[in-house]
Amino acid sequence: MSTRLGIIVISGTLDKVLPAFMLATTAASMGWEVGMFFSFYGLTVLHKDLNKNIPVSPIGNLQVLNENKTINELSKLTTEQFSKIMEENKMPSLSDLIEMAKSLNIKLYPCNTAMKLFGFNKEDLVEGVEKPVGAATFLNFINEAEKPIVLNF
Amino acid sequence: MSTRLGIIVISGTLDKVLPAFMLATTAASMGWEVGMFFSFYGLTVLHKDLNKNIPVSPIGNLQVLNENKTINELSKLTTEQFSKIMEENKMPSLSDLIEMAKSLNIKLYPCNTAMKLFGFNKEDLVEGVEKPVGAATFLNFINEAEKPIVLNF
Amino acid sequence: MSTRLGIIVISGTLDKVLPAFMLATTAASMGWEVGMFFSFYGLTVLHKDLNKNIPVSPIGNLQVLNENKTINELSKLTTEQFSKIMEENKMPSLSDLIEMAKSLNIKLYPCNTAMKLFGFNKEDLVEGVEKPVGAATFLNFINEAEKPIVLNF
């Protein structure tokens, strides 16, 4: 129990969510205990239908910087661009990463407040996640370790 | 002094700022020592007038993903949507959370560099915040703990 | 080796990248060991040509909140506004901060997966960075410390 990694996901875009899962699964492969807490926009990641449509943020994408399109057009462009690169490089998709996380025994905690705000039920969530908890439960989980590390995406 | 939580707020949107305060107040309620450092866009949170207009970012909001509007129209839509959900669920507002933080003895540190860049004076800030400090002071505050945890929003 | 600070940069906008470097160089000046890991949009920061065009995100900029322009127009406005303020206050630029980081012996690690996804070669990167590594190497670097602190921008 020396190092425990807590990862908080509050963003709803793949440019944040994929790195969160990549770090989580890497750490778990190294033998660290890892828990992830999903709140605000990040809760969408655990919704079994909505998580199929998570976009990539165009903010920070230099390649679309000069295109005078609406934010949603740029978002679509960026997401398509990104999907293509991910496939060509045989990178794991979000659903691959969720499965990998579960098989590595990473705890996936939905935030109970966000569940209420979004009107999500337990049945809406992907299988194998923990039951919804509050932030206090997650902070306690982290703080039990000698070396707690927390990252927020 | 075993665990000390440092929260850095550099974002100027409620989807980041509210989770920052919710985690801070939860941790303080559990008896942790908590300090928050406000810099860049995040300094706006401590400005007594400007902090009434902090929007919710539409980036990551799936419900507005297909609407071909300008970013500011989407921002307004998202902010209205969000305010309604927060009120219906009787969630604390930003100003409630700032008061709660102060009453839980959470230290609120304005970044002195950001104060200078934005031309803010001490009188512009909400009451009860610490005097502006640099990043070194904040890092020292955190590092005095046996188990320092730092989160960045 | 008591405190070691790891900074993960996955954002490609200056409102995240500059605070990341400011905290990193402040911590290093205080004698902390610091490593930075650049992945996803954040890898652009280490590209010697592309890093000259890193914008400031307009998301969170209250001053452009009511202007009905495209996201790219707002991004340009915000970036110009910001550059002017930075120059007037004689703040270090991104390239100054990269040089400062190297002179303070901060390790700058490019993510090898992001190198592959973006098709960047070692020659495309600014001089003096480490050779590209995976997330596991970075997590190990951090975890060797008694008090590991990790921040994600």
Side-chain angles (χ1 to χ4, degrees):
Chain A
M1 227 181 24
S2 101
T3 306
R4 199 172 260 186
L5 177 63
I7 290 188
I8 298 171
V9 181
I10 56 170
S11 302
T13 59
L14 288 180
D15 47 298
K16 305 285 177 172
V17 172
L18 294 182
F21 273 96
M22 285 175 185
L23 277 168
T25 53
T26 301
S29 306
M30 292 159 63
W32 298 18
E33 279 183 281
V34 183
M36 299 177 78
F37 182 71
F38 298 83
S39 191
F40 281 73
Y41 285 150
L43 184 60
T44 313
V45 172
L46 298 186
H47 190 290
K48 64 186 174 191
D49 301 321
L50 298 177
N51 76 2
K52 295 187 174 38
N53 295 313
I54 298 184
V56 180
S57 171
I59 305 287
N61 181 357
L62 293 182
Q63 289 178 273
V64 298
L65 202 65
N66 292 309
E67 305 202 25
N68 264 326
K69 301 195 160 141
T70 68
I71 182 83
N72 286 328
E73 286 165 343
L74 290 182
S75 184
K76 258 173 234 162
L77 259 179
T78 302
T79 305
E80 281 163 18
Q81 220 177 57
F82 191 80
S83 304
K84 205 171 146 244
I85 293 175
M86 295 296 280
E87 274 169 37
E88 282 170 1
N89 287 277
K90 302 194 169 56
M91 297 294 292
S93 67
L94 176 57
S95 60
D96 295 338
L97 285 164
I98 293 174
E99 289 313 306
M100 211 183 292
K102 289 191 290 188
S103 71
L104 285 162
N105 208 23
I106 295 174
K107 306 280 179 215
L108 305 175
Y109 297 104
C111 169
N112 57 12
T113 307
M115 291 289 287
K116 204 176 78 172
L117 293 181
F118 290 166
F120 289 1
N121 298 310
K122 192 77 170 78
E123 299 75 54
D124 299 322
L125 303 184
V126 295
E127 288 195 18
V129 304
E130 306 299 308
K131 69 175 207 287
V133 298
T137 303
F138 186 69
L139 289 174
N140 268 327
F141 165 80
I142 295 307
N143 196 37
E144 281 166 15
E146 276 166 48
K147 295 200 267 183
I149 296 179
V150 190
L151 281 169
N152 166 38
F153 286 85
Chain B
M1 236 189 10
S2 103
T3 305
R4 199 172 261 184
L5 177 64
I7 290 188
I8 298 170
V9 182
I10 57 169
S11 303
T13 58
L14 288 180
D15 46 298
K16 305 284 176 171
V17 172
L18 294 182
F21 272 96
M22 284 174 183
L23 276 169
T25 53
T26 301
S29 305
M30 293 160 64
W32 298 18
E33 278 183 280
V34 183
M36 300 178 78
F37 182 70
F38 298 83
S39 192
F40 282 74
Y41 285 150
L43 184 60
T44 314
V45 172
L46 298 186
H47 190 290
K48 64 185 173 191
D49 301 320
L50 297 177
N51 76 1
K52 296 187 172 38
N53 295 313
I54 298 184
V56 180
S57 171
I59 306 287
N61 182 356
L62 294 181
Q63 289 178 273
V64 298
L65 202 66
N66 293 308
E67 305 202 25
N68 264 326
K69 301 195 161 140
T70 68
I71 182 83
N72 286 329
E73 286 164 343
L74 291 181
S75 184
K76 258 173 233 161
L77 259 177
T78 302
T79 305
E80 280 163 19
Q81 221 176 56
F82 191 81
S83 304
K84 205 170 144 243
I85 293 174
M86 295 296 280
E87 274 169 37
E88 282 170 4
N89 287 276
K90 302 195 170 55
M91 297 293 292
S93 66
L94 176 57
S95 61
D96 295 339
L97 284 164
I98 293 175
E99 289 312 307
M100 212 183 290
K102 289 191 290 187
S103 71
L104 285 162
N105 207 24
I106 294 174
K107 305 282 180 212
L108 305 175
Y109 296 104
C111 168
N112 57 12
T113 306
M115 291 289 287
K116 203 177 78 172
L117 294 180
F118 290 167
F120 288 2
N121 298 309
K122 191 76 170 77
E123 300 74 54
D124 298 322
L125 303 183
V126 295
E127 287 196 18
V129 304
E130 306 300 307
K131 70 174 205 288
V133 298
T137 304
F138 186 69
L139 289 175
N140 269 326
F141 164 81
I142 295 308
N143 196 38
E144 281 166 16
E146 276 166 52
K147 295 200 267 184
I149 296 178
V150 190
L151 281 169
N152 167 37
F153 287 84
Chain C
M1 230 184 21
S2 101
T3 305
R4 201 173 258 185
L5 176 64
I7 291 189
I8 298 170
V9 181
I10 57 170
S11 303
T13 58
L14 289 179
D15 46 298
K16 305 285 176 169
V17 172
L18 294 182
F21 273 96
M22 284 173 186
L23 277 169
T25 53
T26 301
S29 305
M30 292 159 63
W32 298 18
E33 278 183 280
V34 183
M36 299 177 79
F37 182 70
F38 298 84
S39 193
F40 281 74
Y41 286 149
L43 185 59
T44 313
V45 172
L46 298 186
H47 190 289
K48 64 185 173 190
D49 301 321
L50 298 177
N51 76 2
K52 296 187 173 37
N53 296 312
I54 299 184
V56 179
S57 172
I59 305 288
N61 182 357
L62 294 182
Q63 289 178 274
V64 298
L65 202 66
N66 292 308
E67 305 202 26
N68 265 325
K69 301 194 161 140
T70 69
I71 182 82
N72 286 329
E73 287 165 341
L74 291 181
S75 183
K76 258 172 235 163
L77 259 179
T78 303
T79 305
E80 280 163 18
Q81 221 177 54
F82 191 81
S83 304
K84 206 171 144 241
I85 293 173
M86 295 295 279
E87 274 169 37
E88 283 170 0
N89 286 277
K90 301 194 170 56
M91 297 292 292
S93 67
L94 176 56
S95 61
D96 295 338
L97 286 164
I98 293 175
E99 289 313 307
M100 211 183 292
K102 289 191 289 188
S103 71
L104 285 163
N105 208 25
I106 295 173
K107 305 281 180 215
L108 305 175
Y109 296 104
C111 169
N112 58 12
T113 306
M115 290 289 288
K116 204 176 78 174
L117 294 180
F118 290 167
F120 289 2
N121 298 310
K122 191 77 168 77
E123 299 74 52
D124 298 323
L125 303 183
V126 295
E127 286 196 18
V129 304
E130 307 299 308
K131 69 175 205 289
V133 298
T137 303
F138 186 70
L139 290 175
N140 269 327
F141 165 81
I142 295 307
N143 196 38
E144 281 166 16
E146 276 166 49
K147 295 201 267 185
I149 296 179
V150 190
L151 281 169
N152 166 38
F153 286 84

